[in-house]
Amino acid sequence: MAFDLTIKFAGEGGEGVISAGDFTMRAATYLGLEVVTFKSFPAEIKGGYALSQVRMSDEKILSQGDGFQILFAFNGEAYEVNKPLLKPGTVLVWDGPEGGDFEPEFDWLEKQGVIAYAVPMSKLAREEVGAYITKNMVALGAASELFNIPIDVYKEQIVSKFSKKGQDVVELNFRALDAGINWVKNNIKKVDPYRLPERMPRKDVIILEGNEAIALGAAVAGCKVFAAYPITPATTVGNYLSEIILKANGYVYQAEDEISSMAIVIGASFSGVKAMTATSGPGISLMQELIGLASMAEIPAVIVDVQRGGPSTGMPTKHDQADLYAAAIGGHGDGQRIVIAPTNVEENFYLTIEAFNLAERYQCPVLFLTDASLSLRAEAIPTPNIKEIQSKLINRPLITKDMNVDPNEILRYKVTETGIAPMLAPGVSPKPYAATGLEHGEDSSPRTSPDVRTRMMEKRFRKLKNIEDENQHLLEWDLGDLQEGEKADISVIAWGLTASITKEAIQRLRKKGYKIAALYPKLLYPVPAKAIEKIASMSDITLVPEANYTGQFARFIRMYTNVKPVQFNIYRGEPFIPAEIEAKIEELVGNKVKVNA
Ligand code: COA
């Protein structure tokens, strides 16, 4: 039986539950465990309900899981919100018996079979340590003693995170850890079975958060210009990049708005360098006109959209998968765009590199749809082989002066069989060209004749005609032990973070004997119609779970294929949990809903 434990810290924004979760994640990784974190907090800097959850296992973890075994409730709100999730055997560590703002209903807890330990986190922080802000470290001291979490890693984290605040802050936090440890030693009799294992052989992994993985991917892909306007939850992509690409002759620019950011990316890419921006929903809305320019002028550009709850300001820190329409078809006119989406932190890294490869190859904007939950999620991923990745990077076909090409023969927008023509860059190429948003002829001069318009429109669309066939690696098939020609009970198509959650649900169902065919497309647009029709043909029911109201990918499927999927939508600002998808599949298979028969 695999070790699989989830510890949740919940309290008020400003009480340090995020740091408590991060420190615990590091401790688990130090022990050699796999980790997946889930964090959620309000848009306010202080106040409101915040949580940080760490799932750890000695086996590969696919999702944040269904719930938790251990809850640290820092205040009454955290207790109330999580009360419905307290199951028999769950451990509740609460801020009491004195100094906190609540007391749990002991009779109810007992009846439920919940194990409750009182640790006066607030009181010890205030009275014994003398600093309320160290409440989270009192909790971690208690956690270390109760659940065998290595205290040395907590101490290292205190030094690494708080040294910049002064040695006295570090010392206070050490004292807070001790206060938590001593309280448990002197007051609590452990009756739960949860203990982290002893240290296992170290794995060759690096710990990355979602946005950090995007930044690293961009740097490895050779991104030299990053321009963005700060917006939650995308801002940290630029923060991380500024630490990396400045050292590699790169350039990070905080623009005055998203329109300007996108214009900078287009300008930089026109000049011959790889360029990227990162934003969230409202920023994508503002960039639409410029994304159209990148399509029309055939300029490679990578646009990261860290989706959040919309429309408008919506829910800036919350999960949503509802920018697919905006990413794929949000602009006016018929433009070429590629939309891809990662399903976990590791793919945030590898697919960012892929986004640059696609942009360079097809000379168009590539929209990278990640999301708020994934932006903050931490995973330990196998250390990438940077040299090997870089040896396979795709770079645009550029005509340079040393190629001795007759300038009179060069046509930037030459009509070719693939639609793709060699590119030019100022100073590097033997000839300049005008990259314009106006319709143009092969030589780039503005033209509006019906003949030119028709030929150029067809040329641009030809570039993406075979994108599905040319990028099979962007389609992840998961057929389990289905034999050739064997019918599945159900087919499932899932994208983005929902795909990794779906995978866990499907693993559980296969153990129960269900036959399931699944497709996790990373390429969302142009819609991979052949793969979708194939997976749907393997069963009588096709399910598409998505964290949006309208079922945006399911509707694209209806638009571009003959498949009529069953939609399963949530829109509550939180991702699915595997149990929901598991239950939905069981319900559909049980009812034998034959939708696309
Ligand atoms: N000793 C000293 N300092 C401590 C500490 C301790 N024991 N524990 C935490 N802190 C500090 C942290 O270092 C952090 O300060 P920093 O930002 O200077 O590093 C601060 O206290 C908050 O602690 P942290 O653990 O990071 O978060 P939290 O659980 O208290 O939650 C947030 C705070 C994350 C919810 C909040 O700050 C936030 O960012 N909200 C979202 C804002 C946003 O993006 N809005 C959208 C606008 S559109």
Side-chain angles (χ1 to χ4, degrees):
M1 182 75 173
F3 173 81
D4 189 348
L5 182 73
T6 301
I7 304 183
K8 184 174 190 173
F9 299 92
E12 186 168 272
E15 278 191 320
V17 293
I18 302 296
S19 300
D22 287 351
F23 286 19
T24 303
M25 176 270 291
R26 299 255 164 208
T29 314
Y30 166 85
L31 292 176
L33 294 167
E34 298 277 337
V35 288
V36 164
T37 64
F38 174 63
K39 304 176 204 177
S40 179
F41 43 75
E44 290 76 26
I45 300 297
K46 258 181 187 280
Y49 174 63
L51 75 92
S52 179
Q53 186 172 295
V54 187
R55 184 175 179 197
M56 47 191 103
S57 174
D58 50 4
E59 290 186 351
K60 176 96 189 133
I61 309 175
L62 295 171
S63 79
Q64 81 276 19
D66 291 332
F68 51 84
Q69 286 77 40
I70 299 166
L71 171 70
F72 278 80
F74 278 40
N75 64 9
E77 184 181 9
Y79 169 69
E80 287 302 331
V81 171
N82 288 286
K83 211 172 121 185
L85 305 172
L86 296 173
K87 307 242 155 51
T90 310
V91 175
L92 167 70
V93 183
W94 63 284
D95 187 16
E98 287 172 42
D101 70 346
F102 76 108
E103 191 165 85
E105 302 94 326
F106 297 110
D107 290 349
W108 182 82
L109 290 176
E110 208 181 321
K111 238 186 265 159
Q112 282 294 109
V114 175
I115 300 160
Y117 299 136
V119 177
M121 308 169 207
S122 298
K123 186 169 159 41
L124 290 174
R126 271 199 198 97
E127 294 174 13
E128 202 159 307
V129 186
Y132 181 70
I133 186 77
T134 64
K135 175 177 174 177
N136 55 350
M137 296 302 134
V138 175
L140 291 192
S144 163
E145 187 62 24
L146 278 166
F147 308 114
N148 195 35
I149 304 177
I151 195 73
D152 288 348
V153 184
Y154 282 157
K155 286 189 174 161
E156 272 170 28
Q157 290 304 305
I158 287 175
V159 173
S160 120
K161 181 149 184 178
F162 302 136
S163 285
K164 60 177 186 286
K165 299 184 189 223
Q167 188 52 30
D168 50 335
V169 177
V170 171
E171 295 300 333
L172 280 176
N173 278 293
F174 283 172
R175 274 176 35 208
L177 284 182
D178 287 341
I181 293 171
N182 291 335
W183 174 268
V184 172
K185 278 187 178 156
N186 299 328
N187 299 282
I188 294 180
K189 186 172 175 309
K190 184 174 165 75
V191 289
D192 70 87
Y194 303 119
R195 277 180 71 80
L196 267 64
E198 295 309 318
R199 196 166 168 192
M200 297 184 286
R202 220 183 169 83
K203 293 183 183 151
D204 186 13
V205 294
I206 51 170
I207 303 168
L208 291 176
E209 277 200 352
N211 280 358
E212 198 177 9
I214 293 171
L216 193 61
V220 171
C223 174
K224 289 290 179 230
V225 171
F226 175 82
Y229 179 74
I231 182 169
T232 299
T235 310
T236 51
V237 175
N239 297 353
Y240 290 125
L241 255 176
S242 66
E243 288 166 17
I244 321 174
I245 68 166
L246 296 183
K247 291 179 201 145
N249 293 329
Y251 187 74
V252 172
Y253 186 73
Q254 179 177 324
E256 67 268 34
D257 59 31
E258 288 86 348
I259 299 174
S260 167
S261 313
M262 188 62 211
I264 290 164
V265 166
I266 291 173
S269 185
F270 169 76
S271 315
V273 298
K274 294 183 183 176
M276 179 173 97
T277 183
T279 187
S280 192
I284 289 293
S285 301
L286 289 178
M287 286 178 185
Q288 291 293 356
E289 174 55 16
L290 271 296
I291 297 174
L293 172 58
S295 299
M296 186 57 128
E298 300 191 47
I299 304 282
V302 174
I303 301 130
V304 173
D305 177 1
V306 188
Q307 297 168 97
R308 63 189 222 181
S312 186
T313 319
M315 302 199 292
T317 57
K318 299 295 180 188
H319 177 78
D320 219 8
Q321 288 188 281
D323 288 355
L324 180 55
Y325 293 155
I329 52 171
H332 75 273
D334 279 332
Q336 299 70 47
R337 295 172 176 201
I338 298 172
V339 183
I340 59 174
T343 68
N344 57 25
V345 174
E346 191 170 6
E347 285 182 4
N348 265 5
F349 172 73
Y350 286 102
L351 278 192
T352 300
I353 298 164
E354 195 58 47
F356 279 97
N357 286 344
L358 292 166
E360 295 285 308
R361 179 173 178 183
Y362 295 103
Q363 301 175 19
C364 69
V366 176
L367 288 105
F368 182 89
L369 282 191
T370 176
D371 67 70
S373 295
L374 203 41
S375 73
L376 293 167
R377 167 163 155 170
E379 276 175 33
I381 72 165
T383 306
N385 184 337
I386 306 290
K387 277 211 175 106
E388 196 190 320
I389 296 168
Q390 288 183 324
S391 71
K392 293 181 188 153
L393 291 178
I394 295 176
N395 292 307
R396 64 191 69 179
L398 196 63
I399 300 178
T400 53
K401 285 178 185 164
D402 57 359
M403 286 176 167
N404 286 329
V405 181
D406 178 357
N408 298 319
E409 303 269 297
I410 297 172
L411 292 170
R412 164 65 187 104
Y413 296 110
K414 191 172 166 52
V415 173
T416 62
E417 211 175 303
T418 58
I420 295 167
M423 290 191 72
L424 306 170
V428 176
S429 302
K431 183 180 174 179
Y433 80 104
T436 166
L438 291 168
E439 187 56 276
H440 42 261
E442 288 182 277
D443 65 353
S444 83
S445 44
R447 294 283 179 276
T448 54
S449 71
D451 169 49
V452 171
R453 167 68 169 177
T454 305
R455 285 200 324 136
M456 295 313 283
M457 200 58 141
E458 287 169 0
K459 169 209 181 294
R460 286 190 295 270
F461 269 98
R462 221 160 34 241
K463 291 192 295 183
L464 301 186
K465 204 170 148 218
N466 297 320
I467 189 164
E468 180 182 351
D469 293 342
E470 290 162 355
N471 293 277
Q472 288 292 310
H473 60 290
L474 295 176
L475 303 169
E476 185 185 339
W477 295 85
D478 176 14
L479 303 181
D481 56 6
L482 274 179
Q483 304 300 313
E484 186 73 33
E486 190 184 2
K487 212 68 174 161
D489 297 322
I490 190 166
S491 306
V492 185
I493 303 170
W495 65 279
L497 185 66
T498 302
S500 64
I501 299 159
T502 304
K503 267 188 209 173
E504 181 161 345
I506 288 177
Q507 273 189 359
R508 294 180 195 172
L509 288 163
R510 288 202 179 122
K511 284 189 189 143
K512 292 185 197 170
Y514 286 87
K515 299 269 179 201
I516 302 171
L519 176 71
Y520 309 116
K522 320 294 156 84
L523 173 68
L524 300 181
Y525 196 86
V527 172
K530 289 183 196 167
I532 287 165
E533 297 207 326
K534 185 168 172 204
I535 199 94
S537 73
M538 292 180 183
S539 71
D540 294 340
I541 317 164
T542 302
L543 174 70
V544 181
E546 285 178 272
N548 57 45
Y549 187 85
T550 53
Q552 299 194 355
F553 195 55
R555 287 182 190 226
F556 272 162
I557 290 174
R558 283 168 187 263
M559 198 190 287
Y560 287 99
T561 73
N562 292 321
V563 179
K564 294 185 176 44
V566 178
Q567 294 180 201
F568 180 28
N569 299 96
I570 56 161
Y571 27 84
R572 59 187 180 221
E574 287 174 359
F576 281 100
I577 57 169
E580 286 173 311
I581 296 174
E582 190 183 350
K584 183 73 183 176
I585 291 174
E586 288 194 299
E587 177 201 319
L588 288 172
V589 174
N591 290 342
K592 301 241 179 318
V593 180
K594 296 190 181 185
V595 179
N596 56 324

